[in-house]
Amino acid sequence: GEDVEQSLFLSVREGDSSVINCTYTDSSSTYLYWYKQEPGAGLQLLTYIFSNMDMKQDQRLTVLLNKKDKHLSLRIADTQTGDSAIYFCAETLIRGSTLGRLYFGRGTQLTVWP
Amino acid sequence: ETGVTQTPRHLVMGMTNKKSLKCEQHLGHNAMYWYKQSAKKPLELMFVYSLEERVENNSVPSRFSPECPNSSHLFLHLHTLQPEDSALYLCASSQGSTSTGELFFGEGSRLTVL
């Protein structure tokens, strides 16, 4: 399956932590990604995690992967107003092909209030 | 120029017009993609080109016609479009199976069909 589900909206206060959640259906997923899209711009890769890992930390970002529940989360510590954007979860199912195809969720609109 | 560049950034066209979107990548990648981003929907993969091979989503109407003259350039030719084709069209590139599969996106071309 290629269904990737995310909640559509999240609002937090500046300085708080944000947690954006994502569920996916295909247990064959090899890589899972978080992309960020600011208004009027394309998607920018934030971070990714390989399916044999359960956690990855990169500065203010922490990615948690629960393979049993097919649940992925992105935690942003000390959220800033500049973090306001749409965050997309995506998975890829590279299976011996020269092409990796990503399947995206609908995106979570994060709004950070000062 | 660096990264993935798309032109034009904005396009307004009538249903009888013929226009083209252009994408250029300066990353030395070997695969390029067209995605469609509509409001409240997941990103839809339209076409993939890799090593002169073309893969397409069979649900994409024939009024969208891709062209990939070389590994750095990708076009999307548009003709007799419908108002529901209004969307943000995103070009992306990747290094194919030798990488972790992440896509690098352009800023998008915002298309409005009147």
Side-chain angles (χ1 to χ4, degrees), chain A residues 33 35 37 40 99 101 106, chain B residues 9 37 40 50 55 100 103:
Chain A
Y33 308 84
Y35 280 83
Q37 185 179 34
L99 299 173
R101 302 185 200 186
R106 294 177 186 231
Chain B
R9 293 293 311 278
Q37 185 178 25
K40 304 289 191 288
S50 177
V55 178
T100 52
L103 299 177

Side-chain angles (χ1 to χ4, degrees), chain A residues 1-5 23-32 51 65-71 90-95 101 103:
Chain A
E2 301 143 4
D3 290 332
V4 179
E5 299 287 340
T23 58
Y24 58 97
T25 56
D26 197 315
S27 57
S28 304
S29 296
T30 52
Y31 287 96
L32 295 124
S51 57
L65 175 60
N66 181 328
K67 285 193 69 176
K68 174 176 169 290
D69 296 336
K70 300 189 184 67
H71 182 266
E91 61 173 348
T92 190
L93 311 170
I94 301 175
R95 293 188 183 124
R101 302 185 200 186
Y103 297 94

Side-chain angles (χ1 to χ4, degrees), chain A residues 67-78:
Chain A
K67 285 193 69 176
K68 174 176 169 290
D69 296 336
K70 300 189 184 67
H71 182 266
L72 183 74
S73 68
L74 174 68
R75 178 177 181 270
I76 305 173
D78 186 25

Side-chain angles (χ1 to χ4, degrees), chain B residues 3-29:
Chain B
V4 180
T5 305
Q6 290 187 241
T7 54
R9 293 293 311 278
H10 299 273
L11 178 63
V12 179
M13 59 187 290
M15 289 192 283
T16 59
N17 292 156
K18 290 185 180 180
K19 298 285 184 183
S20 296
L21 306 180
K22 179 183 175 183
C23 177
E24 186 174 358
Q25 60 98 359
H26 307 271
L27 300 169
H29 289 165

Side-chain angles (χ1 to χ4, degrees), chain A residues 11-104:
Chain A
S11 293
V12 300
R13 284 203 177 276
E14 190 174 23
D16 288 350
S17 292
S18 308
V19 180
I20 304 172
N21 295 300
C22 169
T23 58
Y24 58 97
T25 56
D26 197 315
S27 57
S28 304
S29 296
T30 52
Y31 287 96
L32 295 124
Y33 308 84
W34 285 105
Y35 280 83
K36 176 183 180 183
Q37 185 179 34
E38 296 181 350
L43 277 68
Q44 173 193 6
L45 178 68
L46 280 180
T47 187
Y48 66 88
I49 188 167
F50 190 51
S51 57
N52 68 354
M53 300 168 63
D54 52 21
M55 187 182 91
K56 181 178 181 181
Q57 187 150 4
D58 183 2
Q59 299 183 340
R60 292 191 298 122
L61 305 179
T62 303
V63 178
L64 295 177
L65 175 60
N66 181 328
K67 285 193 69 176
K68 174 176 169 290
D69 296 336
K70 300 189 184 67
H71 182 266
L72 183 74
S73 68
L74 174 68
R75 178 177 181 270
I76 305 173
D78 186 25
T79 314
Q80 303 297 308
T81 54
D83 295 323
S84 293
I86 302 175
Y87 290 80
F88 290 90
C89 171
E91 61 173 348
T92 190
L93 311 170
I94 301 175
R95 293 188 183 124
S97 164
T98 58
L99 299 173
R101 302 185 200 186
L102 269 65
Y103 297 94
F104 288 85

